[in-house]
């Protein structure tokens, strides 16, 4: 059992109040317009949530993954777009820098990221390499004190709004994954531009788009770790990122469930509240059971992360299970709401669209099953 600590309760209450006051009144406006609310991101930064998992000396809040999971889930109960924004910023971009940088690099990039003064993005996926992360084509050729970067990245969160980008490039294609290197790029570098912003099914207020590199000069000093370490770094970063996607899925599933719980008391059919029908009761029972199972798996992985343990298996399992639970819960929520579940005036329509990304982003469900199977088989 994972009891809520005082710090977790504080995070939960703070973000519950913030989400109702600052996100709920406008989240559908942002969704319809596909507008990323940068002002909300910066406000969350001022509250400490843009760097919740980083030490205070680097501008963070000095909390752990238990508090982090609580934060992402609480935001996502109201709007998954804001939840995934904070998740991608913390666990991908900023965390890659935190885990693999020098003291000087942390001072330069991590502190403004953790303080929420700058927005971070992480670039791994390309048009022809998604699940096949080792097949990336973006190249970086050494030229004196610089790398010359050419290529593109796709489906990048904060593609247009970010200030600091951790980008995985190929510095030695003949070595496969051992030729992948991580570089930090900054907005405004010559030859570094943005492509189209994707017109998405869900999480529409979370900006997702393309990065384009045309002979971009990146100082060798912007390299994270040594050449050829980038792929291994990325896989470790994804272990933490997958926990945050599980938290995202958990929060949205809870939001959909809570909307149902309220609705079944209000909606009447055949002369009585629909909560009195066993068909509805069974749906709620299954939803609640699966949500609680997903919560325990997610917090187990977060607890292990806080203890410094390897979480490759646990991260994949909680991400797989929570993401698929969120899809089932949102589907049943629409069914419970009936015709009202299909219109935008009621909350579950948006949850139904938003949750699907959780089974795709940061490794599809199929990739999670591969990771889990390998870990299980390697243990024998």
């Amino acid at each position: 059992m994972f009891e809520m600590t005082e710090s977790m309760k504080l995070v939960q209450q703070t973000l519950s109040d913030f989400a109702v006051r600052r996100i709920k009144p406008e989240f559908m406006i942002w969704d319809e317009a596909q507008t990323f609310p940068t002002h909300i991101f910066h406000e969350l930064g001022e509250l400490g949530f843009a760097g919740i998992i980083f030490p205070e000396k680097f501008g963070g809040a000095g909390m752990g993954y238990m508090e982090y999971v609580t934060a992402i889930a609480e935001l996502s109960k109201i709007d998954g777009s804001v939840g995934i924004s904070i998740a991608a910023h913390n666990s991908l971009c900023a965390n890659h820098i935190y885990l693999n940088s020098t003291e000087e690099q942390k001072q330069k990039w991590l502190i403004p990221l953790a303080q929420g003064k700058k927005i971070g993005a992480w670039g791994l996926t390309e048009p022809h390499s998604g699940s096949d992360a080792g097949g990336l084509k973006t190249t970086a050729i050494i030229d004196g004190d610089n790398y010359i970067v050419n290529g593109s990245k796709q489906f990048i969160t904060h593609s247009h709004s970010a200030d600091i980008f951790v980008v995985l490039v190929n510095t030695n294609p003949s070595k496969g994954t051992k030729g992948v290197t991580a570089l930090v790029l900054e907005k405004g570098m010559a030859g570094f531009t943005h492509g189209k912003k994707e017109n998405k099914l869900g999480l529409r207020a979370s900006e997702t788009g393309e990065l384009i590199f045309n002979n971009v000069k990146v100082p060798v000093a912007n390299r994270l770790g040594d050449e050829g370490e980038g792929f291994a770094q990325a896989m470790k970063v994804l272990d933490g990122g997958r926990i945050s996607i599980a938290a995202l899925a958990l929060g949205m599933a809870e939001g959909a469930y809570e909307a149902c719980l309220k609705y079944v008391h209000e909606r009447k059919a055949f002369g009585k509240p629909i909560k009195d029908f066993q068909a509805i009761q069974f749906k709620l029972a299954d939803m609640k059971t699966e949500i609680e199972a997903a919560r325990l798996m997610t917090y187990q992985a977060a607890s292990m992360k806080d203890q410094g343990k390897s979480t490759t298996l646990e991260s994949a399992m909680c991400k797989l299970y929570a993401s698929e639970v969120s899809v089932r819960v949102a589907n049943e929520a629409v069914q419970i709401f009936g015709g009202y579940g299909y219109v935008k005036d009621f909350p579950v329509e948006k949850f139904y669209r938003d949750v699907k990304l959780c089974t795709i982003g940061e490794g599809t469900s199929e990739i999670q099953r591969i990771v889990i199977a390998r870990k299980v088989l390697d243990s024998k």
Side-chain angles (χ1 to χ4, degrees):
M1 296 299 294
F2 295 98
E3 297 290 339
M4 294 281 283
T5 63
E6 289 305 312
S7 60
M8 290 167 69
K9 290 177 183 177
L10 178 61
V11 165
Q12 186 178 57
Q13 188 59 57
T14 299
L15 286 179
S16 176
D17 294 344
F18 181 89
V20 169
R21 180 171 50 86
R22 298 291 294 127
I23 299 174
K24 193 171 185 178
E26 296 186 81
F27 74 91
M28 282 304 293
I29 297 173
W30 304 331
D31 183 81
E32 290 287 331
Q34 296 199 83
T35 299
F36 173 53
T38 54
H39 63 292
I40 295 296
F41 179 92
H42 291 304
E43 286 179 35
L44 287 166
E46 291 172 5
L47 292 172
F49 294 107
I52 184 171
I53 55 176
F54 306 113
E56 292 180 22
K57 69 175 181 177
F58 296 126
M63 295 185 180
Y65 264 74
M66 296 289 275
E67 290 84 3
Y68 176 47
V69 162
T70 302
I72 299 303
E74 200 62 34
L75 287 170
S76 302
K77 282 183 187 178
I78 301 296
D79 187 14
S81 289
V82 176
I84 198 171
S85 175
I86 293 298
H89 175 87
N90 268 281
S91 62
L92 296 181
C93 177
N95 199 37
H96 198 136
I97 293 171
Y98 174 64
L99 293 173
N100 302 286
S101 61
T102 65
E103 183 71 23
E104 182 180 355
Q105 289 172 328
K106 287 183 176 69
Q107 294 292 324
K108 183 176 182 180
W109 298 311
L110 181 59
I111 289 177
L113 286 169
Q115 292 174 338
K117 293 179 179 178
K118 293 193 174 182
I119 300 173
W122 193 72
L124 176 62
T125 300
E126 296 184 0
H128 301 289
S129 64
S131 295
D132 179 17
L136 57 89
K137 305 293 185 187
T138 298
T139 59
I141 307 301
I142 198 81
D143 181 20
D145 293 331
N146 296 292
Y147 287 101
I148 308 301
V149 179
N150 284 281
S152 65
K153 296 291 179 180
Q154 193 175 30
F155 302 137
I156 307 304
T157 302
H158 300 154
S159 57
H160 289 56
S161 297
D163 306 288
I164 297 170
F165 302 76
V166 175
V167 177
L168 282 300
V169 299
N170 209 322
T171 49
N172 193 334
S174 66
K175 290 188 175 182
T177 58
K178 294 187 182 302
V180 176
T181 302
L183 301 177
V184 176
L185 278 69
E186 298 184 61
K187 180 182 284 187
M189 286 181 166
F192 179 21
T193 57
H194 315 289
K196 71 170 182 175
K197 188 164 69 171
E198 301 294 346
N199 185 7
K200 299 185 298 180
L201 168 71
L203 298 174
R204 289 165 60 85
S206 171
E207 181 182 272
T208 305
E210 188 179 24
L211 307 178
I212 299 172
F213 317 107
N214 184 14
N215 292 322
V216 184
K217 281 188 177 181
V218 181
V220 172
N222 284 30
R223 187 180 67 213
L224 297 174
D226 293 329
E227 277 197 8
E229 293 182 347
F231 188 81
Q233 293 171 0
M235 294 304 102
K236 186 173 181 181
V237 165
L238 283 171
D239 281 348
R242 286 167 179 163
I243 297 172
S244 69
I245 296 297
L248 174 74
L250 174 64
M252 290 191 288
E254 287 185 297
Y257 169 77
E258 289 175 6
C260 288
L261 210 54
K262 182 173 183 289
Y263 182 75
V264 299
H265 284 79
E266 299 169 349
R267 174 69 169 167
K268 290 185 178 181
F270 304 100
K272 58 183 177 180
I274 63 171
K275 70 179 179 63
D276 293 339
F277 294 104
Q278 193 174 66
I280 298 297
Q281 293 171 0
F282 280 8
K283 289 182 187 297
L284 292 171
D286 288 344
M287 293 160 77
K288 179 64 173 175
T289 300
E290 290 198 308
I291 286 170
E292 290 308 312
R295 187 194 317 280
L296 287 170
M297 292 182 72
T298 303
Y299 276 103
Q300 178 187 357
S303 176
M304 291 176 65
K305 192 77 173 172
D306 283 340
Q307 295 173 57
K309 296 179 179 178
S310 172
T311 65
T312 301
L313 175 62
E314 289 74 16
S315 294
M317 290 194 300
C318 74
K319 196 271 190 189
L320 170 65
Y321 187 72
S323 65
E324 297 200 344
V325 162
S326 69
V327 171
R328 289 194 291 271
V329 168
N331 182 62
E332 290 287 42
V334 171
Q335 197 70 16
I336 287 172
F337 271 73
Y340 292 118
Y342 209 67
V343 297
K344 293 181 182 293
D345 292 335
F346 290 79
V348 295
E349 175 271 345
K350 183 174 182 297
F351 285 122
Y352 184 78
R353 289 185 290 109
D354 287 348
V355 294
K356 184 56 189 171
L357 184 278
C358 296
T359 68
I360 299 169
E362 296 195 35
T364 62
S365 290
E366 290 74 19
I367 290 296
Q368 304 314 309
R369 288 183 169 93
I370 290 172
V371 172
I372 294 164
R374 284 176 178 170
K375 294 296 290 185
V376 169
L377 293 170
D378 287 347
S379 67
K380 296 297 182 182

